[in-house]
Amino acid sequence: MASSRSAPQPAFVLHQWDWSETSLILDLFTREQGRVAAVAKGAKRPYSQLRPVLMPFQRLLVLTTRPKADEHADILLLRSAEYAGAGAALPPSRLFPGFYLNELLMKLLARGDPHPALFDAYADALQALAVAPDEAPLRAFELLLLRETGVLPELSRTTTTQEVVQPARHYRLSGDSGLVVAAEEAAHLPGSLCLALQAALDADDRPALRRACQGGLPVLRVQLRALLHYHLGAPALRTRQLMLDVRRLLDASVPHST
């Protein structure tokens, strides 16, 4: 785990749990320390200054320290937190995608492992989600997260043979084999899309990456979902399952003509 901080650092709240009648335990994604767990004492009190601040999807400046009684504690103390970001807030219709990004970070990142580039990409993805009408910010962030954690294969050449990707051919992402030639075109990635994605990743151009994703959202969703599940070791994320359940309820509530 990272050491105590002497100055505030940028952070987002990924999740929170009740710790006592008045306090919370937070899962924070910080730019300098990565994911950390911190106790927010008194944050549940009605007049706590922390209560309106410790909300998901808000950029914060937080100060955390280790308890004096245990310098090796895994859970830090939140000393202060203040709102530190301007920009578009997530509308209600985009909250589920935001929580999906949070769950990905919680499941794929180890605590105390800094990823400043990924922190910036997450902040950028939230802003894009606030205004984007499609899934491109989600797919782009999945790609960046997989790359940052070292499990995204190069998309400009096949993994096993190192053959250069051909624009007219189709490919698939395999958890154990990387990028391989696909036997069929259905639900697989066109070579032209693979090359566009890799070019945007190489240039570290997040807007270009979202534009490239827009050219293949249905196939990207299928391919990236399979790759994420392989590395997560779980069949489904809770936020995704919840989104599906809500959609089914909404569909069931709509009267059908006979």
Side-chain angles (χ1 to χ4, degrees):
M1 285 289 292
S3 61
S4 301
R5 306 303 302 178
S6 58
Q9 62 174 318
F12 288 93
V13 175
L14 297 180
H15 194 63
Q16 59 180 238
W17 297 268
D18 291 336
W19 185 55
S20 66
E21 291 185 359
T22 60
S23 302
L24 297 168
I25 291 181
L26 307 173
D27 195 321
L28 298 173
F29 184 33
T30 70
R31 194 176 193 278
E32 297 175 38
Q33 293 174 276
R35 281 182 58 228
V36 299
V39 174
K41 292 186 176 181
K44 292 170 61 179
R45 292 188 177 122
Y47 300 106
S48 169
Q49 294 182 344
L50 291 174
R51 189 168 183 171
V53 174
L54 299 177
M55 303 294 290
F57 318 127
Q58 289 190 162
R59 189 183 181 99
L60 308 175
L61 278 177
V62 302
L63 177 62
T64 59
T65 60
R66 294 194 187 281
K68 291 183 179 179
D70 186 359
E71 287 297 319
H72 300 286
D74 289 334
I75 299 180
L76 308 180
L77 295 177
L78 182 69
R79 295 299 187 185
S80 66
E82 60 185 53
Y83 180 66
L90 284 185
S93 62
R94 306 301 276 168
L95 291 178
F96 273 139
F99 284 120
Y100 169 71
L101 296 187
N102 287 3
E103 187 174 4
L104 284 179
L105 289 171
M106 292 170 64
K107 288 186 177 295
L108 282 173
L109 296 186
R111 292 195 188 277
D113 186 13
H115 290 274
L118 190 60
F119 180 93
D120 295 340
Y122 172 78
D124 183 62
L126 292 180
Q127 290 301 300
L129 272 176
V131 297
D134 56 33
E135 301 174 7
L138 294 181
R139 304 291 82 84
F141 185 77
E142 288 171 341
L143 286 163
L144 291 167
L145 176 58
L146 289 165
R147 183 186 66 168
E148 186 71 14
T149 53
V151 295
L152 180 69
E154 185 179 357
L155 300 178
S156 59
R157 63 182 66 245
T158 57
T159 302
T160 54
T161 64
Q162 293 298 294
E163 294 179 355
V164 176
V165 165
Q166 301 299 312
R169 300 191 72 177
H170 283 72
Y171 301 83
R172 64 181 178 86
L173 290 168
S174 169
D176 53 6
S177 302
L179 186 72
V180 297
V181 176
E184 301 176 356
E185 294 185 4
H188 294 138
L189 303 169
S192 57
L193 176 60
C194 293
L195 293 172
L197 294 172
Q198 188 62 52
L201 288 168
D202 289 342
D204 198 23
D205 189 334
R206 293 190 291 267
L209 184 60
R210 289 192 289 269
R211 290 193 297 270
C213 288
Q214 288 173 343
L217 289 176
V219 293
L220 269 176
R221 185 189 312 118
V222 173
Q223 291 291 308
L224 292 177
R225 181 178 301 172
L227 188 59
L228 285 165
H229 286 171
Y230 177 87
H231 291 293
L232 287 169
L237 293 167
R238 288 188 294 178
T239 45
R240 179 176 289 151
Q241 187 59 51
L242 184 57
M243 281 189 283
L244 293 174
D245 292 343
V246 169
R247 286 173 184 169
R248 279 194 291 266
L249 286 172
L250 292 174
D251 289 341
S253 66
V254 176
H256 298 279
S257 58
T258 57

